[in-house]
Amino acid sequence: MAGIFKAYDIRGIYGTELTEAVAYDLGRAFVTFLNCKKIAIGRDIRPSSVPLFEHFAKGATELGADIIDLGLCSTPVSYYGNGSLGCDASVMITASHNPKEYNGFKLCRERAIPISGATGIADIEAIIAKGAYAPKAAVPGTVTKVDVIPSYCEFIRKNADLARPLRICCDFANGMGTTEAKVFEGLPLTWTSLYPEPDGTFPNHEANPLKHETLDAIRAEVRKGGYDFGVAFDGDADRAGFIDEKGDIIPMDMITALVAEDLLRTHPGATIFYDLRSSWAVKEVILEHGGKPMMSRVGHAFIKQQMRENDALFAGELSGHYYFKANFTAESSSLAVLCLANIVSRADKPLSELIKPIQRYVASGEINTRLASADAAAKVLATLKDRYGAQGHAFELDGLSVEFADWWFNVRCSNTEPLIRLNLEAKTEDEMIRRRDEILAVIRG
């Protein structure tokens, strides 16, 4: 069971690693750890989500917690339910983009503050291992169904400011993105749906827009013409990938820049975070539109904490997570879509032309190298620091980053595997290729 407790969530193969008995114990341990009284619980469409909900709720209510059953929803809706209903905790039952045999739990405190491995998941694991649960309540808690999707849609829809009607294509990948698309109803925004039928077996393709092969269908549809852009959601719809009107994939940091531009129009001077793997252009665009750019480390728990500490309006992550202060400092894929739609609707040129001026540099993309052990990965970081740290501006917000006049790189160790992850950017393609190969030669020895 120990393997299911991850850095950011609890996740495993249903029926073997993650069982109904584990869900029951998790419900008891969650209430024991937080002493929470009101828990909002949403779930995705996987067939295993219902029994996992029932057993988690059984454990939690036995200890006196009341459950607000949000039913089928996206992860952003579960965050909204947590905050808007005044809950002191929430749970989303999902394995996000993982294959159909997986399921999991995303855990939050009040106001959608995430619980990570370092801030509670390890403690919850220890409670289960020791059987150190709080005693059963004299009066068990209740389970009440509440549909927050209409109020979520109304809340997010207020951010729409479309200067003209738009047409988009949405690939829902049989996941929970259809929940996010309800926001578009009643707006001058029409959409074509690919794979809209929720199906937890994900029969058409993996619900993961980070894998470019999963975008083949939406790219082909957009290339038929008549669309302003396309959006592909992951399984629980807390991530989104975007396609321009030509059917070309837009790098996710470029979307961060455009969303920031839209938000800064109505929130001048606001603080905007971008993750440290993002292009230099993101910082530049934020500055050009009067914002205050700040760099974040990778990972939603870290980003949300930094946003709260700095009262940030928005943050974008290279993995396609877009975080908004408006949604309790958590993701809202539909709000990211609306911000992009606002920009496109006001422009006298298509999205591909809006992106072109901010694609100022050449990125390597994330390159993973598997090493023999975590110790070997740490030694590589030390070698790179010795070799490059004094030559450029070096910092260790997350792994090792070094910036030079014409290029920069970041190297991080994986949280879960002996992997080194390299991201590198340069002013020219030749420089990027030369520096990429130079750094990889050090990493791969």
Side-chain angles (χ1 to χ4, degrees):
M1 187 178 70
I4 67 174
F5 294 90
K6 311 292 186 182
Y8 301 118
D9 60 11
I10 296 166
R11 186 175 67 253
I13 296 173
Y14 174 70
T16 54
E17 298 172 335
L18 186 60
T19 64
E20 292 162 14
V22 170
Y24 170 69
D25 289 342
L26 183 58
R28 293 191 291 164
F30 188 66
V31 174
T32 299
F33 175 67
L34 285 183
N35 192 29
C36 46
K37 304 300 182 186
K38 185 179 179 182
I39 309 170
I41 304 181
R43 59 184 181 274
D44 71 13
I45 195 61
R46 296 167 193 265
S48 58
S49 293
V50 171
L52 290 176
F53 165 77
E54 291 172 345
H55 285 77
F56 183 99
K58 182 176 185 291
T61 54
E62 282 184 2
L63 272 61
D66 293 327
I67 302 298
I68 306 297
D69 178 9
L70 302 177
L72 287 171
C73 66
S74 66
T75 291
V77 166
S78 77
Y79 296 141
Y80 174 80
N82 177 323
S84 65
L85 296 174
C87 298
D88 50 8
S90 68
V91 176
M92 180 67 188
I93 302 173
T94 182
S96 186
H97 61 277
N98 288 90
K100 62 185 178 180
E101 60 267 23
Y102 285 82
N103 214 325
F105 297 84
K106 293 182 177 180
L107 311 177
C108 290
R109 300 171 183 270
E110 75 285 354
R111 297 186 65 80
I113 297 172
I115 298 174
S116 66
T119 62
I121 289 177
D123 299 280
I124 290 168
E125 179 183 10
I127 290 169
I128 295 174
K130 297 173 184 176
Y133 307 108
K136 288 186 179 181
V139 178
T142 60
V143 178
T144 306
K145 291 180 181 286
V146 177
D147 183 5
V148 298
I149 293 174
S151 62
Y152 171 78
C153 292
E154 182 181 358
F155 176 67
I156 299 298
R157 200 177 287 134
K158 292 176 181 176
N159 295 274
D161 184 19
L162 298 173
R164 64 176 174 87
L166 296 181
R167 183 180 178 222
I168 65 175
C169 183
C170 298
D171 185 344
F172 299 113
N174 304 108
M176 301 312 304
T178 49
T179 302
E180 294 292 302
K182 292 180 185 294
V183 169
F184 310 148
E185 295 172 0
L187 298 175
L189 186 64
T190 58
W191 66 96
T192 297
S193 299
L194 300 181
Y195 317 124
E197 304 82 10
D199 184 338
T201 67
F202 306 106
N204 291 288
H205 64 74
E206 185 178 346
N208 185 2
L210 273 180
K211 292 186 176 180
H212 286 184
E213 64 269 22
T214 71
L215 302 175
D216 288 347
I218 189 171
R219 297 181 72 190
E221 177 60 32
V222 170
R223 283 172 176 161
K224 294 177 181 178
Y227 294 100
D228 291 285
F229 62 88
V231 55
F233 298 92
D234 77 338
D236 62 332
D238 66 351
R239 290 191 297 122
F242 290 88
I243 310 299
D244 71 16
E245 84 288 349
K246 295 180 178 180
D248 293 331
I249 298 168
I250 303 173
M252 291 167 175
D253 50 355
M254 298 297 99
I255 297 298
T256 296
L258 286 182
V259 171
E261 179 183 337
D262 181 61
L263 293 172
L264 288 167
R265 188 174 58 91
T266 52
H267 299 80
T271 297
I272 308 286
F273 274 94
Y274 59 96
D275 95 51
L276 51 70
R277 301 168 297 176
S278 302
S279 171
W280 270 335
V282 178
K283 176 182 179 180
E284 294 167 1
V285 168
I286 294 168
L287 286 170
E288 288 161 9
H289 290 85
K292 179 183 177 182
M294 294 189 73
M295 183 183 286
S296 70
R297 61 181 300 184
V298 177
H300 80 108
F302 302 118
I303 293 173
K304 291 170 182 175
Q305 180 180 348
Q306 288 182 267
M307 286 182 70
R308 286 187 166 91
E309 290 172 349
N310 294 276
D311 193 28
L313 180 67
F314 167 66
E317 193 173 10
L318 200 59
S319 53
H321 290 269
Y322 301 104
Y323 309 93
F324 296 86
K325 181 180 178 181
N327 194 36
F328 301 97
T329 316
E331 296 93 328
S332 175
S333 296
S334 55
L335 184 46
V337 173
L338 289 185
C339 288
L340 185 62
N342 290 341
I343 288 277
V344 173
S345 74
R346 290 193 300 269
D348 58 0
K349 58 186 70 172
L351 180 54
S352 61
E353 293 299 313
L354 296 176
I355 290 293
K356 191 176 295 182
I358 57 176
Q359 288 186 303
R360 303 167 182 175
Y361 308 102
V362 183
S364 66
E366 189 156 86
I367 302 170
N368 292 320
T369 300
R370 182 172 293 276
L371 300 178
S373 66
D375 287 343
K379 288 179 182 177
V380 167
L381 258 67
T383 300
L384 289 169
K385 184 177 180 179
D386 288 342
R387 188 168 301 184
Y388 294 95
Q391 299 178 30
H393 169 54
F395 55 95
E396 297 179 81
L397 176 63
D398 190 350
L400 173 68
S401 298
V402 186
E403 294 183 335
F404 303 89
D406 297 327
W407 66 290
W408 63 264
F409 74 89
N410 170 262
V411 177
R412 300 179 300 121
C413 294
S414 166
N415 283 320
T416 57
E417 304 174 84
L419 289 178
I420 282 277
R421 307 189 193 280
L422 168 67
N423 284 273
L424 185 147
E425 183 179 64
K427 289 188 175 181
T428 67
E429 185 170 8
D430 286 347
E431 180 80 350
M432 185 279 290
I433 292 171
R434 182 167 72 89
R435 297 300 188 176
R436 178 200 65 194
D437 294 348
E438 180 182 310
I439 299 295
L440 284 176
V442 177
I443 291 173
R444 295 173 179 176

